[in-house]
Amino acid sequence: MSEPLKTRREREKQARYDTILDAAELVFSEKGYERTSMDDIARTASLSRALLYVYFKDKAAIQRGIMLRAGHSLFRRFEEARQTADNGLAQIRAMGESYYRFYLEEPDYFSALTKASTAMAEADESQAEEMLCSKSDLMELMVGAIELGLQDGTMNRDRINDPVQTALYLRGALHGVILLCQSEMGEGNPEFPAEQLIRHTMDMLTSSISA
């Protein structure tokens, strides 16, 4: 097969893959994951059901594809956040703020990533590897900022024995508070001070590792 023909076919395959995920995101948003069928997704994507199964073996595999998209979106946000600050502590703060904006601006993607660890266990080898790489890429950005903070003196060496563990702690703590805000707001508590709590959490987290 000639290279131009191969490239064109690869582009067409990628375009169809993206079309399916676009359609699934739309239908999941409108009907919910549980009430959505593969027929719904095929119809919205203007594809036959048989062709849909060529790309994804089931609805769960499509959902994992959306999770990968979510991971890539968050990676871009973290990458851009790091570029806005010169020192490690400020970069970690910027990434924390970008994570909260991710929750506000892309709630479906935030929700998808919340379920990603469970979904990874059910993925085939190829998809599981992609999801693991996406998770690793996010961690590398955070660990890189922490290592920079240790080098530039903005982070406390006595408090940070392991940059990886520290990155997990920071993200886990902020994620937990965001889920708390989500729960309170979802229970009809519009007066819940979500924005103030997030700011307070980031102040506490950064102060816990600052020099």
Side-chain angles (χ1 to χ4, degrees):
M1 185 187 299
S2 67
E3 193 62 31
L5 181 59
K6 181 180 178 182
T7 302
R8 187 174 74 247
R9 287 186 178 175
E10 288 174 347
R11 285 199 305 267
E12 290 172 351
K13 184 177 180 179
Q14 184 63 48
R16 199 167 288 128
Y17 177 92
D18 291 336
T19 295
I20 293 169
L21 292 185
D22 288 343
E25 285 186 24
L26 178 62
V27 184
F28 288 164
S29 177
E30 291 177 348
K31 299 182 65 172
Y33 176 80
E34 296 298 336
R35 294 195 301 274
T36 297
S37 68
M38 291 291 274
D39 283 335
D40 293 329
I41 297 170
R43 188 162 48 249
T44 303
S46 299
L47 298 172
S48 69
R49 182 186 172 98
L51 186 55
L52 185 63
Y53 278 105
V54 169
Y55 287 83
F56 296 96
K57 67 176 184 178
D58 54 26
K59 189 172 63 172
I62 294 176
Q63 177 72 333
R64 289 191 291 270
I66 293 173
M67 290 173 181
L68 277 168
R69 276 188 168 185
H72 294 154
S73 177
L74 183 57
F75 177 83
R76 287 192 296 271
R77 285 174 179 266
F78 274 17
E79 201 170 36
E80 290 167 3
R82 278 200 67 181
Q83 294 170 2
T84 66
D86 296 328
N87 65 67
L89 188 65
Q91 287 182 4
I92 279 292
R93 175 84 186 210
M95 281 190 277
E97 292 173 351
S98 73
Y99 193 50
Y100 182 56
R101 287 196 302 274
F102 175 70
Y103 157 69
L104 291 175
E105 296 167 8
E106 299 185 273
D108 289 343
Y109 277 180
F110 177 85
S111 178
L113 282 187
T114 299
K115 304 167 186 171
S117 293
T118 303
M120 197 183 303
E122 302 170 356
D124 60 31
E125 184 177 348
S126 175
Q127 229 178 9
E129 184 177 351
E130 283 187 88
M131 293 173 77
L132 187 60
C133 287
S134 178
K135 184 178 180 179
S136 297
D137 288 343
L138 287 168
M139 283 297 297
E140 282 180 14
L141 287 175
M142 292 189 68
V143 170
I146 293 168
E147 290 174 341
L148 175 62
L150 292 172
Q151 292 168 8
D152 64 28
T154 57
M155 292 189 190
N156 193 321
R157 287 187 175 275
D158 294 332
R159 296 177 183 172
I160 300 174
N161 296 318
D162 185 339
V164 174
Q165 286 185 352
T166 302
L168 288 169
Y169 152 71
L170 293 172
R171 184 177 174 188
L174 181 56
H175 183 77
V177 173
I178 291 174
L179 289 180
L180 172 64
C181 294
Q182 186 181 48
S183 175
E184 290 289 336
M185 300 296 284
E187 291 177 3
N189 186 2
E191 301 303 317
F192 187 79
E195 189 80 25
Q196 294 94 313
L197 180 57
I198 292 295
R199 298 297 168 197
H200 177 66
T201 300
M202 287 194 286
D203 288 342
M204 294 292 286
L205 291 174
T206 52
S207 67
S208 73
I209 59 173
S210 64

